[in-house]
Coordinates of all heavy atoms in Angstrom, one line a residue:
K1 N 0.9 -1.2 0.0 CA 0.0 0.0 0.0 C 0.9 1.2 0.0 O 1.8 1.4 0.8 CB -0.9 0.0 1.2 CG -1.8 1.2 1.3 CD -2.7 1.2 2.6 CE -3.8 0.2 2.5 NZ -4.7 0.2 3.7
A2 N 0.6 2.2 -0.8 CA 1.3 3.4 -0.9 C 1.0 4.4 0.2 O -0.2 4.4 0.6 CB 1.1 4.1 -2.3
S3 N 2.0 5.0 0.8 CA 1.7 6.0 1.8 C 2.8 7.1 1.6 O 3.9 6.9 1.1 CB 1.8 5.4 3.2 OG 3.1 5.3 3.7
P4 N 2.5 8.3 2.0 CA 3.4 9.5 1.7 C 4.8 9.3 2.3 O 5.8 9.7 1.7 CB 2.7 10.7 2.3 CG 1.5 10.2 3.1 CD 1.3 8.7 2.7
K5 N 4.9 8.8 3.5 CA 6.2 8.7 4.1 C 6.7 7.3 4.4 O 6.9 6.9 5.5 CB 6.2 9.5 5.5 CG 6.2 11.0 5.2 CD 6.3 11.8 6.5 CE 6.4 13.3 6.2 NZ 6.3 14.1 7.4
G6 N 6.8 6.5 3.4 CA 7.3 5.2 3.6 C 6.1 4.2 3.7 O 5.0 4.6 3.8
S7 N 6.4 2.9 3.6 CA 5.3 1.9 3.4 C 4.8 1.4 4.7 O 3.8 0.7 4.6 CB 5.9 0.8 2.5 OG 7.0 0.2 3.2
V8 N 5.3 1.7 5.9 CA 4.9 1.0 7.1 C 3.8 1.8 7.8 O 2.8 1.2 8.3 CB 6.1 0.8 8.0 CG1 5.6 0.2 9.3 CG2 7.1 -0.2 7.4
A9 N 3.9 3.1 7.9 CA 3.1 3.9 8.8 C 1.6 3.7 8.7 O 0.9 3.6 9.7 CB 3.4 5.4 8.7
L10 N 1.1 3.6 7.5 CA -0.4 3.6 7.3 C -0.9 2.2 7.0 O -2.1 2.0 6.6 CB -0.8 4.5 6.1 CG -0.4 6.0 6.4 CD1 -0.9 6.9 5.3 CD2 -1.1 6.5 7.7
K11 N -0.1 1.2 7.2 CA -0.6 -0.2 6.9 C -1.5 -0.7 8.0 O -1.4 -0.3 9.1 CB 0.6 -1.1 6.7 CG 1.3 -0.9 5.4 CD 2.2 -2.1 5.0 CE 2.6 -1.9 3.5 NZ 3.5 -3.0 3.1
S12 N -2.5 -1.4 7.6 CA -3.4 -2.0 8.5 C -2.7 -3.1 9.4 O -1.6 -3.5 9.0 CB -4.6 -2.6 7.8 OG -4.1 -3.8 7.2
R13 N -3.3 -3.5 10.5 CA -2.8 -4.5 11.4 C -2.5 -5.8 10.6 O -1.5 -6.4 10.8 CB -3.7 -4.7 12.5 CG -3.1 -5.4 13.7 CD -3.5 -4.8 15.0 NE -4.5 -5.5 15.6 CZ -4.3 -6.4 16.6 NH1 -3.1 -6.7 16.9 NH2 -5.3 -7.0 17.2
T14 N -3.5 -6.2 9.8 CA -3.4 -7.5 9.1 C -2.2 -7.4 8.1 O -1.5 -8.4 7.9 CB -4.7 -7.9 8.4 OG1 -5.2 -6.7 7.8 CG2 -5.6 -8.5 9.4
E15 N -2.1 -6.3 7.4 CA -1.0 -6.1 6.5 C 0.4 -6.2 7.2 O 1.3 -6.9 6.7 CB -1.1 -4.8 5.8 CG -1.9 -4.7 4.5 CD -1.9 -3.4 3.9 OE1 -2.4 -2.4 4.6 OE2 -1.4 -3.2 2.8
R16 N 0.5 -5.6 8.3 CA 1.7 -5.6 9.1 C 2.1 -7.0 9.5 O 3.2 -7.4 9.5 CB 1.6 -4.7 10.3 CG 2.7 -3.7 10.4 CD 2.6 -2.6 11.5 NE 1.6 -2.9 12.5 CZ 0.5 -2.2 12.8 NH1 0.3 -1.1 12.1 NH2 -0.3 -2.5 13.8
K17 N 1.1 -7.7 10.0 CA 1.3 -9.1 10.5 C 1.9 -10.0 9.4 O 2.7 -10.8 9.7 CB -0.1 -9.7 10.9 CG -0.1 -9.8 12.5 CD -1.4 -10.4 12.9 CE -1.2 -11.3 14.0 NZ -2.5 -11.9 14.5
T18 N 1.5 -9.8 8.2 CA 2.1 -10.6 7.1 C 3.5 -10.3 6.9 O 4.3 -11.2 6.3 CB 1.3 -10.5 5.8 OG1 1.4 -9.2 5.3 CG2 -0.2 -10.9 6.0
Q19 N 4.0 -9.1 7.2 CA 5.4 -8.9 6.9 C 6.3 -8.9 8.1 O 7.5 -8.9 8.0 CB 5.6 -7.6 6.1 CG 5.3 -6.3 6.9 CD 5.6 -5.1 6.1 OE1 5.3 -5.1 4.9 NE2 6.1 -4.0 6.7
R20 N 5.8 -8.9 9.3 CA 6.6 -8.9 10.5 C 6.3 -10.2 11.3 O 5.2 -10.3 11.8 CB 6.3 -7.7 11.4 CG 7.2 -6.5 11.3 CD 7.2 -5.6 12.5 NE 6.0 -5.7 13.3 CZ 5.5 -4.6 14.0 NH1 6.1 -3.5 13.9 NH2 4.5 -4.8 14.7
P21 N 7.3 -11.1 11.5 CA 7.0 -12.3 12.2 C 6.8 -12.0 13.7 O 7.4 -11.1 14.2 CB 8.2 -13.1 11.9 CG 9.3 -12.2 11.7 CD 8.6 -11.0 11.0
R22 N 6.1 -12.8 14.4 CA 6.0 -12.8 15.8 C 7.4 -13.1 16.4 O 8.1 -14.0 15.9 CB 5.0 -13.9 16.2 CG 4.4 -13.8 17.6 CD 3.1 -14.6 17.4 NE 2.5 -15.0 18.7 CZ 2.0 -14.2 19.6 NH1 2.1 -12.9 19.5 NH2 1.4 -14.7 20.6
M23 N 7.8 -12.4 17.4 CA 9.1 -12.6 18.0 C 9.0 -13.3 19.4 O 8.0 -13.1 20.1 CB 9.8 -11.3 18.1 CG 10.0 -10.5 16.8 SD 11.1 -11.5 15.6 CE 12.7 -11.1 16.2
Y24 N 10.0 -14.0 19.7 CA 10.0 -14.8 20.9 C 11.2 -14.5 21.8 O 12.3 -14.5 21.3 CB 9.9 -16.3 20.6 CG 8.6 -16.7 19.9 CD1 8.4 -16.4 18.6 CD2 7.6 -17.3 20.6 CE1 7.2 -16.7 17.9 CE2 6.4 -17.6 20.0 CZ 6.2 -17.3 18.7 OH 5.0 -17.6 18.1
R25 N 10.9 -14.3 23.1 CA 12.0 -14.2 24.0 C 12.6 -15.5 24.4 O 11.8 -16.4 24.8 CB 11.6 -13.5 25.3 CG 11.2 -12.0 25.1 CD 10.9 -11.3 26.4 NE 9.5 -11.6 26.8 CZ 8.5 -10.7 26.6 NH1 8.7 -9.6 25.9 NH2 7.3 -11.1 26.9
V26 N 13.9 -15.7 24.4 CA 14.5 -16.9 24.9 C 14.9 -16.6 26.3 O 15.7 -15.6 26.6 CB 15.7 -17.4 24.1 CG1 16.4 -18.5 24.8 CG2 15.3 -17.8 22.7
L27 N 14.4 -17.4 27.3 CA 14.6 -17.1 28.7 C 15.6 -18.1 29.3 O 15.6 -19.3 29.0 CB 13.3 -17.3 29.5 CG 12.1 -16.3 28.9 CD1 10.8 -16.7 29.6 CD2 12.5 -14.9 29.2
L28 N 16.5 -17.6 30.2 CA 17.3 -18.5 31.0 C 16.8 -18.5 32.4 O 16.3 -17.5 32.9 CB 18.7 -18.0 31.0 CG 19.5 -18.1 29.7 CD1 21.0 -17.6 29.9 CD2 19.6 -19.5 29.1
H29 N 16.8 -19.7 33.0 CA 16.3 -19.9 34.4 C 17.5 -20.1 35.3 O 18.4 -20.8 35.0 CB 15.3 -21.1 34.4 CG 14.1 -20.9 33.5 ND1 12.9 -20.6 33.9 CD2 14.0 -21.0 32.1 CE1 12.1 -20.5 32.9 NE2 12.7 -20.7 31.8
N30 N 17.3 -19.6 36.5 CA 18.4 -19.8 37.5 C 18.3 -21.3 38.0 O 17.3 -21.9 38.0 CB 18.2 -18.8 38.6 CG 19.4 -18.8 39.5 OD1 20.6 -19.0 39.1 ND2 19.2 -18.7 40.8
D31 N 19.5 -21.7 38.5 CA 19.6 -23.0 39.3 C 20.8 -22.8 40.2 O 21.5 -21.8 40.1 CB 19.7 -24.2 38.4 CG 21.0 -24.2 37.6 OD1 22.1 -24.4 38.2 OD2 21.0 -23.9 36.4
D32 N 20.9 -23.8 41.1 CA 22.0 -23.6 42.1 C 23.3 -24.2 41.7 O 24.3 -24.1 42.4 CB 21.5 -24.3 43.4 CG 20.4 -23.5 44.1 OD1 20.2 -22.3 43.8 OD2 19.7 -24.2 44.9
Y33 N 23.4 -24.9 40.5 CA 24.6 -25.7 40.2 C 25.4 -25.3 39.0 O 26.6 -25.5 38.9 CB 24.1 -27.2 40.0 CG 23.4 -27.7 41.2 CD1 22.0 -27.9 41.2 CD2 24.1 -28.1 42.4 CE1 21.4 -28.4 42.4 CE2 23.5 -28.5 43.5 CZ 22.1 -28.7 43.5 OH 21.4 -29.1 44.6
T34 N 24.7 -24.7 38.0 CA 25.4 -24.3 36.8 C 26.4 -23.2 37.1 O 26.0 -22.2 37.7 CB 24.4 -23.8 35.7 OG1 23.5 -24.8 35.4 CG2 25.2 -23.4 34.4
P35 N 27.7 -23.4 36.8 CA 28.7 -22.3 37.1 C 28.4 -21.0 36.4 O 28.0 -21.0 35.2 CB 30.0 -22.9 36.6 CG 29.8 -24.4 36.5 CD 28.3 -24.6 36.2
M36 N 28.6 -19.9 37.1 CA 28.4 -18.6 36.5 C 29.2 -18.4 35.2 O 28.7 -17.9 34.2 CB 28.8 -17.5 37.5 CG 27.9 -17.4 38.7 SD 28.3 -16.0 39.7 CE 26.9 -16.0 40.8
E37 N 30.5 -18.9 35.2 CA 31.3 -18.7 34.0 C 30.8 -19.5 32.8 O 30.9 -19.0 31.7 CB 32.8 -19.2 34.3 CG 33.4 -18.7 35.6 CD 32.8 -19.5 36.8 OE1 33.1 -20.7 36.9 OE2 32.2 -18.9 37.7
F38 N 30.1 -20.6 33.1 CA 29.5 -21.4 32.0 C 28.4 -20.6 31.3 O 28.3 -20.5 30.1 CB 29.0 -22.7 32.5 CG 28.3 -23.6 31.4 CD1 29.1 -24.3 30.5 CD2 26.9 -23.6 31.3 CE1 28.4 -25.0 29.5 CE2 26.3 -24.3 30.3 CZ 27.0 -25.0 29.4
V39 N 27.6 -20.0 32.1 CA 26.4 -19.2 31.6 C 26.9 -18.0 30.8 O 26.4 -17.7 29.8 CB 25.5 -18.7 32.8 CG1 24.3 -17.9 32.2 CG2 25.0 -19.9 33.5
V40 N 28.0 -17.3 31.4 CA 28.5 -16.2 30.7 C 29.1 -16.6 29.3 O 28.8 -15.9 28.3 CB 29.6 -15.5 31.5 CG1 30.4 -14.4 30.7 CG2 29.0 -14.9 32.8
R41 N 29.8 -17.7 29.3 CA 30.4 -18.2 28.0 C 29.3 -18.6 27.0 O 29.4 -18.3 25.8 CB 31.3 -19.3 28.2 CG 32.8 -18.9 28.3 CD 33.8 -20.0 28.4 NE 33.7 -20.7 29.7 CZ 33.3 -21.9 29.9 NH1 32.9 -22.7 28.9 NH2 33.3 -22.4 31.1
L42 N 28.3 -19.2 27.5 CA 27.1 -19.6 26.6 C 26.4 -18.4 26.0 O 26.0 -18.3 24.9 CB 26.2 -20.4 27.5 CG 24.9 -21.0 26.9 CD1 24.6 -22.4 27.4 CD2 23.7 -20.0 27.3
L43 N 26.3 -17.3 26.8 CA 25.6 -16.1 26.4 C 26.5 -15.4 25.3 O 26.0 -14.8 24.3 CB 25.4 -15.1 27.5 CG 24.2 -15.5 28.4 CD1 24.2 -14.8 29.7 CD2 22.9 -15.1 27.7
Q44 N 27.8 -15.6 25.4 CA 28.7 -15.0 24.4 C 28.7 -15.8 23.1 O 28.7 -15.3 22.0 CB 30.2 -14.9 25.0 CG 30.3 -13.9 26.1 CD 31.8 -13.9 26.6 OE1 32.1 -14.6 27.6 NE2 32.6 -13.2 26.0
T45 N 28.7 -17.1 23.3 CA 28.9 -18.0 22.0 C 27.5 -18.2 21.3 O 27.4 -18.0 20.1 CB 29.5 -19.3 22.4 OG1 28.7 -20.0 23.4 CG2 30.9 -19.2 22.9
L46 N 26.4 -18.5 22.1 CA 25.1 -18.7 21.4 C 24.3 -17.5 21.2 O 23.5 -17.4 20.2 CB 24.3 -19.7 22.3 CG 24.6 -21.2 22.3 CD1 23.6 -21.9 23.1 CD2 24.7 -21.7 20.9
F47 N 24.5 -16.5 22.0 CA 23.6 -15.3 21.9 C 24.4 -14.0 21.5 O 23.8 -12.9 21.5 CB 22.9 -15.1 23.3 CG 21.9 -16.3 23.6 CD1 22.4 -17.3 24.4 CD2 20.6 -16.3 23.1 CE1 21.5 -18.4 24.6 CE2 19.8 -17.3 23.4 CZ 20.2 -18.4 24.1
H48 N 25.7 -14.2 21.2 CA 26.4 -13.1 20.6 C 26.5 -11.9 21.5 O 26.5 -10.7 21.0 CB 26.0 -12.8 19.2 CG 25.9 -14.0 18.3 ND1 27.0 -14.6 17.9 CD2 24.8 -14.7 17.9 CE1 26.6 -15.7 17.2 NE2 25.3 -15.7 17.1
K49 N 26.6 -12.1 22.8 CA 26.7 -10.9 23.8 C 28.2 -10.7 24.0 O 29.0 -11.7 24.0 CB 26.0 -11.3 25.1 CG 24.6 -11.6 25.0 CD 23.8 -10.6 24.3 CE 22.3 -11.0 24.3 NZ 21.5 -10.0 23.5
N50 N 28.6 -9.5 24.3 CA 30.0 -9.3 24.7 C 30.1 -9.7 26.2 O 29.1 -10.0 26.8 CB 30.5 -7.8 24.4 CG 29.7 -6.8 25.2 OD1 29.4 -7.0 26.4 ND2 29.5 -5.7 24.6
E51 N 31.3 -9.6 26.7 CA 31.5 -10.2 28.1 C 30.7 -9.4 29.1 O 30.1 -10.0 30.0 CB 33.0 -10.2 28.5 CG 33.2 -10.8 29.8 CD 34.7 -11.2 30.1 OE1 35.6 -10.8 29.3 OE2 34.9 -11.9 31.1
A52 N 30.6 -8.0 29.0 CA 29.9 -7.2 29.9 C 28.4 -7.5 29.9 O 27.7 -7.6 30.9 CB 30.2 -5.7 29.6
E53 N 27.9 -7.6 28.7 CA 26.4 -7.9 28.5 C 26.1 -9.3 29.0 O 25.1 -9.4 29.7 CB 26.0 -7.8 27.0 CG 26.1 -6.5 26.3 CD 26.0 -6.6 24.8 OE1 26.4 -7.6 24.2 OE2 25.6 -5.6 24.2
A54 N 27.0 -10.2 28.7 CA 26.7 -11.6 29.2 C 26.8 -11.7 30.7 O 25.9 -12.4 31.3 CB 27.8 -12.5 28.5
T55 N 27.7 -11.0 31.3 CA 27.8 -11.0 32.7 C 26.6 -10.4 33.4 O 26.0 -10.9 34.4 CB 29.1 -10.3 33.2 OG1 30.2 -10.9 32.6 CG2 29.2 -10.3 34.7
A56 N 26.1 -9.2 32.8 CA 24.9 -8.6 33.3 C 23.7 -9.5 33.2 O 22.9 -9.5 34.2 CB 24.7 -7.2 32.6
I57 N 23.5 -10.2 32.1 CA 22.3 -11.0 32.0 C 22.4 -12.2 32.9 O 21.5 -12.6 33.6 CB 22.3 -11.6 30.5 CG1 21.9 -10.4 29.6 CG2 21.2 -12.6 30.4 CD1 22.1 -10.7 28.1
M58 N 23.6 -12.8 33.1 CA 23.8 -13.9 34.0 C 23.5 -13.5 35.4 O 22.8 -14.2 36.1 CB 25.3 -14.4 33.9 CG 25.6 -15.6 34.7 SD 25.9 -15.2 36.5 CE 27.4 -14.3 36.3
L59 N 24.0 -12.3 35.8 CA 23.7 -11.9 37.2 C 22.3 -11.5 37.4 O 21.7 -11.8 38.5 CB 24.6 -10.6 37.5 CG 26.1 -10.9 37.7 CD1 26.9 -9.6 37.9 CD2 26.3 -11.8 39.0
H60 N 21.6 -11.0 36.4 CA 20.2 -10.8 36.5 C 19.4 -12.1 36.7 O 18.5 -12.2 37.6 CB 19.6 -10.1 35.2 CG 18.2 -9.8 35.2 ND1 17.6 -8.6 35.6 CD2 17.1 -10.6 34.9 CE1 16.3 -8.7 35.6 NE2 16.0 -9.9 35.2
V61 N 19.8 -13.1 35.9 CA 19.1 -14.4 36.1 C 19.4 -15.0 37.5 O 18.5 -15.5 38.2 CB 19.6 -15.4 35.0 CG1 19.0 -16.8 35.3 CG2 19.2 -14.9 33.7
H62 N 20.7 -14.9 37.9 CA 21.1 -15.3 39.2 C 20.3 -14.6 40.4 O 19.9 -15.3 41.3 CB 22.6 -15.1 39.4 CG 23.1 -15.5 40.7 ND1 23.3 -16.8 41.1 CD2 23.6 -14.7 41.8 CE1 23.8 -16.9 42.4 NE2 24.0 -15.6 42.8
N63 N 20.1 -13.3 40.2 CA 19.4 -12.5 41.3 C 17.9 -12.5 41.2 O 17.2 -12.4 42.2 CB 19.9 -11.1 41.2 CG 21.4 -11.0 41.7 OD1 21.8 -11.6 42.6 ND2 22.1 -10.2 41.0
H64 N 17.3 -12.7 40.0 CA 15.9 -12.6 39.8 C 15.2 -13.9 39.5 O 14.0 -14.0 39.4 CB 15.5 -11.5 38.8 CG 16.0 -10.2 39.2 ND1 15.3 -9.3 39.9 CD2 17.2 -9.5 38.9 CE1 16.0 -8.1 40.1 NE2 17.2 -8.3 39.5
G65 N 16.0 -14.9 39.2 CA 15.4 -16.2 38.9 C 15.2 -16.5 37.4 O 15.1 -17.7 37.0
I66 N 15.1 -15.5 36.6 CA 14.9 -15.6 35.1 C 15.3 -14.4 34.4 O 15.4 -13.3 35.0 CB 13.4 -15.9 34.9 CG1 13.1 -16.5 33.5 CG2 12.5 -14.7 35.2 CD1 11.7 -17.1 33.4
G67 N 15.7 -14.5 33.1 CA 16.1 -13.4 32.4 C 16.1 -13.7 30.9 O 16.1 -14.8 30.5
V68 N 16.1 -12.6 30.1 CA 16.1 -12.7 28.6 C 17.5 -12.8 28.0 O 18.3 -11.9 28.2 CB 15.3 -11.5 28.0 CG1 15.3 -11.6 26.5 CG2 13.9 -11.4 28.6
A69 N 17.7 -13.9 27.3 CA 19.0 -14.1 26.6 C 19.0 -13.5 25.3 O 20.1 -13.0 24.8 CB 19.4 -15.6 26.5
G70 N 17.9 -13.4 24.6 CA 17.8 -12.8 23.3 C 16.3 -13.0 22.8 O 15.5 -13.6 23.4
V71 N 16.1 -12.3 21.6 CA 14.7 -12.3 21.0 C 14.9 -12.7 19.6 O 15.7 -12.1 18.8 CB 14.1 -10.9 21.2 CG1 12.7 -10.9 20.5 CG2 14.0 -10.5 22.6
Y72 N 14.1 -13.7 19.2 CA 14.3 -14.3 17.8 C 12.9 -14.7 17.2 O 11.9 -14.8 17.9 CB 15.2 -15.5 17.9 CG 16.5 -15.3 18.6 CD1 16.7 -15.5 19.9 CD2 17.6 -14.8 17.8 CE1 17.9 -15.3 20.5 CE2 18.8 -14.6 18.4 CZ 19.0 -14.8 19.7 OH 20.2 -14.5 20.3
T73 N 12.9 -15.0 16.0 CA 11.8 -15.6 15.3 C 11.6 -17.1 15.9 O 12.5 -17.6 16.6 CB 11.9 -15.8 13.8 OG1 13.1 -16.5 13.6 CG2 12.0 -14.4 13.2
H74 N 10.4 -17.6 15.7 CA 10.0 -18.9 16.4 C 11.1 -20.0 16.2 O 11.5 -20.6 17.1 CB 8.7 -19.4 15.9 CG 8.1 -20.5 16.7 ND1 8.4 -21.8 16.4 CD2 7.3 -20.5 17.8 CE1 7.8 -22.6 17.3 NE2 7.1 -21.8 18.2
E75 N 11.5 -20.2 14.9 CA 12.4 -21.3 14.6 C 13.7 -21.1 15.2 O 14.4 -22.0 15.7 CB 12.5 -21.5 13.1 CG 13.1 -22.8 12.7 CD 13.2 -23.0 11.2 OE1 12.5 -22.2 10.4 OE2 13.8 -24.0 10.8
I76 N 14.2 -19.9 15.1 CA 15.6 -19.6 15.7 C 15.5 -19.7 17.2 O 16.4 -20.3 17.9 CB 16.0 -18.1 15.3 CG1 16.1 -17.9 13.8 CG2 17.4 -17.9 16.0 CD1 17.1 -18.7 13.1
A77 N 14.4 -19.2 17.9 CA 14.3 -19.3 19.3 C 14.3 -20.8 19.8 O 15.0 -21.2 20.7 CB 13.0 -18.6 19.8
E78 N 13.6 -21.6 19.0 CA 13.5 -23.1 19.4 C 14.9 -23.7 19.3 O 15.3 -24.5 20.1 CB 12.6 -23.8 18.4 CG 11.1 -23.8 18.7 CD 10.3 -24.7 17.8 OE1 10.7 -24.9 16.6 OE2 9.2 -25.1 18.2
T79 N 15.6 -23.3 18.2 CA 17.0 -23.8 18.1 C 17.9 -23.4 19.2 O 18.7 -24.2 19.7 CB 17.6 -23.3 16.7 OG1 16.7 -23.8 15.7 CG2 19.0 -23.9 16.5
K80 N 17.8 -22.1 19.6 CA 18.6 -21.6 20.7 C 18.3 -22.4 22.0 O 19.2 -22.8 22.8 CB 18.4 -20.1 21.0 CG 18.7 -19.2 19.8 CD 20.2 -19.1 19.6 CE 20.5 -18.2 18.4 NZ 21.9 -18.2 18.0
V81 N 17.0 -22.6 22.3 CA 16.6 -23.4 23.5 C 17.3 -24.8 23.5 O 17.9 -25.2 24.4 CB 15.1 -23.5 23.6 CG1 14.7 -24.4 24.7 CG2 14.5 -22.1 23.9
A82 N 17.2 -25.4 22.3 CA 17.7 -26.8 22.2 C 19.2 -26.7 22.3 O 19.8 -27.6 23.0 CB 17.4 -27.3 20.8
Q83 N 19.9 -25.7 21.8 CA 21.4 -25.6 21.9 C 21.8 -25.4 23.3 O 22.8 -26.0 23.8 CB 21.9 -24.5 21.0 CG 21.8 -24.9 19.5 CD 22.2 -23.7 18.6 OE1 21.9 -22.6 18.9 NE2 22.7 -24.0 17.4
V84 N 21.1 -24.6 24.1 CA 21.4 -24.3 25.5 C 21.3 -25.7 26.2 O 22.2 -26.1 27.0 CB 20.4 -23.4 26.2 CG1 20.5 -23.4 27.7 CG2 20.6 -21.9 25.6
H85 N 20.2 -26.5 26.0 CA 20.1 -27.7 26.6 C 21.2 -28.7 26.3 O 21.7 -29.4 27.1 CB 18.7 -28.3 26.4 CG 17.6 -27.5 27.1 ND1 16.3 -27.5 26.6 CD2 17.7 -26.7 28.2 CE1 15.6 -26.7 27.5 NE2 16.4 -26.2 28.4
M86 N 21.5 -28.8 25.0 CA 22.6 -29.7 24.5 C 23.9 -29.3 25.2 O 24.6 -30.2 25.7 CB 22.7 -29.6 23.0 CG 21.6 -30.3 22.3 SD 21.9 -30.5 20.5 CE 21.6 -28.9 19.9
L87 N 24.3 -28.0 25.2 CA 25.6 -27.7 25.8 C 25.5 -27.9 27.4 O 26.5 -28.4 27.9 CB 25.9 -26.2 25.6 CG 26.3 -25.8 24.2 CD1 26.5 -24.3 24.1 CD2 27.6 -26.5 23.8
A88 N 24.4 -27.6 28.0 CA 24.3 -27.8 29.4 C 24.4 -29.3 29.8 O 25.1 -29.7 30.7 CB 23.0 -27.2 29.9
R89 N 23.7 -30.2 29.0 CA 23.8 -31.6 29.3 C 25.2 -32.2 29.1 O 25.6 -33.0 29.9 CB 22.7 -32.4 28.5 CG 21.3 -32.1 28.8 CD 20.8 -31.8 30.2 NE 19.6 -31.0 30.2 CZ 19.5 -29.8 30.7 NH1 20.5 -29.1 31.2 NH2 18.3 -29.2 30.7
Q90 N 25.8 -31.7 28.0 CA 27.2 -32.1 27.8 C 28.1 -31.8 29.0 O 29.0 -32.6 29.3 CB 27.8 -31.3 26.6 CG 27.6 -31.9 25.3 CD 28.1 -31.0 24.1 OE1 29.0 -30.2 24.3 NE2 27.4 -31.1 23.0
Q91 N 27.9 -30.7 29.7 CA 28.7 -30.3 30.8 C 28.0 -30.8 32.1 O 28.4 -30.4 33.2 CB 28.8 -28.8 30.9 CG 29.5 -28.1 29.7 CD 30.8 -28.7 29.3 OE1 31.7 -28.8 30.2 NE2 31.1 -29.1 28.1
E92 N 26.9 -31.5 32.0 CA 26.2 -32.1 33.1 C 25.7 -30.9 34.1 O 25.8 -31.0 35.3 CB 27.0 -33.1 33.9 CG 27.4 -34.3 33.0 CD 28.0 -35.4 33.7 OE1 29.0 -35.2 34.5 OE2 27.6 -36.6 33.5
C93 N 25.2 -29.9 33.4 CA 24.6 -28.7 34.2 C 23.1 -28.8 34.0 O 22.6 -29.2 33.0 CB 25.1 -27.4 33.6 SG 26.9 -27.1 33.9
P94 N 22.3 -28.4 35.1 CA 20.9 -28.4 35.0 C 20.3 -27.2 34.4 O 19.0 -27.0 34.4 CB 20.5 -28.5 36.5 CG 21.6 -27.8 37.2 CD 22.8 -28.1 36.4
L95 N 21.1 -26.4 33.7 CA 20.6 -25.1 33.2 C 19.4 -25.3 32.3 O 19.4 -26.2 31.4 CB 21.8 -24.5 32.3 CG 21.5 -23.1 31.6 CD1 21.1 -22.0 32.6 CD2 22.7 -22.7 30.8
M96 N 18.4 -24.4 32.5 CA 17.1 -24.5 31.7 C 16.9 -23.3 30.9 O 17.2 -22.2 31.4 CB 15.9 -24.6 32.7 CG 15.8 -26.0 33.5 SD 15.2 -27.3 32.4 CE 13.6 -26.6 32.0
A97 N 16.4 -23.5 29.7 CA 16.0 -22.4 28.9 C 14.5 -22.6 28.4 O 14.1 -23.8 28.3 CB 16.9 -22.2 27.7
S98 N 13.8 -21.5 28.1 CA 12.5 -21.7 27.5 C 12.2 -20.5 26.6 O 13.1 -19.6 26.5 CB 11.4 -21.7 28.7 OG 11.5 -20.5 29.4
M99 N 11.1 -20.5 26.0 CA 10.8 -19.3 25.1 C 9.3 -18.9 25.3 O 8.5 -19.7 25.7 CB 11.0 -19.6 23.6 CG 10.2 -20.8 23.1 SD 10.8 -21.4 21.5 CE 9.8 -20.3 20.4
E100 N 9.1 -17.6 25.1 CA 7.7 -17.0 25.2 C 7.5 -16.0 24.2 O 8.5 -15.2 23.8 CB 7.5 -16.5 26.6 CG 8.3 -15.3 26.9 CD 8.0 -14.6 28.3 OE1 7.4 -15.3 29.1 OE2 8.4 -13.5 28.5
P101 N 6.3 -15.8 23.6 CA 6.1 -14.8 22.6 C 6.2 -13.4 23.2 O 5.8 -13.2 24.4 CB 4.6 -15.1 22.1 CG 4.0 -15.9 23.2 CD 5.1 -16.6 23.9
E102 N 6.7 -12.4 22.5 CA 6.6 -11.0 22.9 C 5.2 -10.6 22.8 O 4.4 -11.1 22.0 CB 7.4 -10.2 21.9 CG 8.9 -10.2 22.2 CD 9.6 -9.0 21.4 OE1 9.2 -8.8 20.3 OE2 10.5 -8.5 22.0
E103 N 4.8 -9.6 23.7 CA 3.4 -9.0 23.8 C 2.5 -9.8 24.6 O 2.4 -11.0 24.6 CB 2.8 -8.7 22.4 CG 3.0 -7.3 21.9 CD 4.3 -7.1 21.2 OE1 5.3 -6.9 21.9 OE2 4.3 -7.1 20.0
Ligands
TYC1 N1 23.0 -19.6 40.3 C1 24.2 -20.1 39.6 C2 25.3 -20.1 40.6 O1 25.3 -19.5 41.7 C3 24.5 -19.2 38.4 C4 23.5 -19.3 37.3 C5 23.2 -18.1 36.7 C6 22.9 -20.4 37.0 C7 22.2 -18.1 35.6 C8 21.9 -20.5 35.9 O2 20.7 -19.3 34.2 C9 21.6 -19.3 35.3 N2 26.4 -20.8 40.2

């Protein structure tokens, strides 16, 4: 649909929905056994955070019980959750991840 200042502003809700996928938060859950350094490294390697960001997210999860590792489309979010579980099980850590839709 044509609009004076770009194609997004005047589009209807249904039109927008067809071009913008629903996004999902990948959540990390706290536990008492997974080493802090393991969570920080996982946030750097799987979620592309720098060391400061990764440390802040890890500490948020440690202190609040849950936190957002990243926001992705459904298929990518599912893959991230599976990768967290695979790496955690390899290291025999109980680390848990889940996903929830934004909004
Ligand atoms: N609570 C863990 C510890 O004290 C660290 C931790 C942080 C574990 C985040 C899981 O998602 C997590 N070693």
